[in-house]
Amino acid sequence: MLKLNCNNWYNFSKALILLCFFIVSTKSDAQDLPPIQYFSPKQYHAENQNWEITQSNNKHIYVANSKGLLEFNGSEWSLYPSPNQTIIRSVNVVKDKVYTGSYMDFGYWSRTDVGDLKYTSLSKKSRVHY
């Protein structure tokens, strides 16, 4: 029969507390925060109001900004002004086209041969009048 005296009980409880501390510390270490990077309007050369954000399959980020459409490729920002000089409030990527909506206009941006984005208005093609 196993006899537990005070010294054995003390060592056992110390080992149990250490084991619990080890388990808790390894579990809390697994809860990493995602990397967050702040970009100021001076860095992306546009207004400070961003209305919507989306990401394409090639990991480019597109932002509907008060000054136009922003594109971030992971290292550089590109600004494409709104064709009708109004605020772009919505953006969504579908396959290889970036759809945007602004006041009195909606359409899509597609890549040109040199790699820039060119806007095509769908509201003008469909003769939608407001």
Side-chain angles (χ1 to χ4, degrees), residues 12-14 18 29 34 40 42 55 64 75 80 83 92 105 107 115-116 119 123 125:
F12 175 73
S13 63
K14 237 168 70 172
L18 221 87
D29 187 38
S40 72
K42 288 181 182 180
Q55 188 173 14
S75 62
Y80 299 95
N92 190 29
D105 196 13
D116 292 334
Y119 184 73
S123 58
K125 283 186 174 184

Side-chain angles (χ1 to χ4, degrees), residues 34-130:
I36 296 173
Q37 186 172 355
Y38 170 78
F39 294 100
S40 72
K42 288 181 182 180
Q43 289 174 292
Y44 54 78
H45 306 290
E47 298 292 328
N48 63 354
Q49 180 70 55
N50 296 311
W51 296 94
E52 193 170 16
I53 187 168
T54 189
Q55 188 173 14
S56 64
N57 289 337
N58 65 357
K59 305 298 183 205
H60 286 208
I61 295 174
Y62 296 92
V63 181
N65 182 275
S66 292
K67 202 166 182 180
L69 176 67
L70 286 169
E71 178 186 29
F72 184 64
N73 65 8
S75 62
E76 293 179 344
W77 288 96
S78 299
L79 174 64
Y80 299 95
S82 171
N84 62 358
Q85 304 302 315
T86 61
I87 297 170
I88 295 178
R89 295 191 190 255
S90 59
V91 61
N92 190 29
V93 176
V94 179
K95 296 183 182 176
D96 61 340
K97 293 183 180 167
V98 181
Y99 291 87
T100 57
S102 60
Y103 180 70
M104 303 286 286
D105 196 13
F106 65 93
Y108 64 88
W109 302 77
S110 54
R111 192 100 23 218
T112 64
D113 292 336
V114 291
D116 292 334
L117 291 176
K118 179 184 174 194
Y119 184 73
T120 303
S121 175
L122 292 174
S123 58
K124 289 179 183 173
K125 283 186 174 184
S126 62
R127 293 185 167 84
V128 175
H129 300 286
Y130 298 97

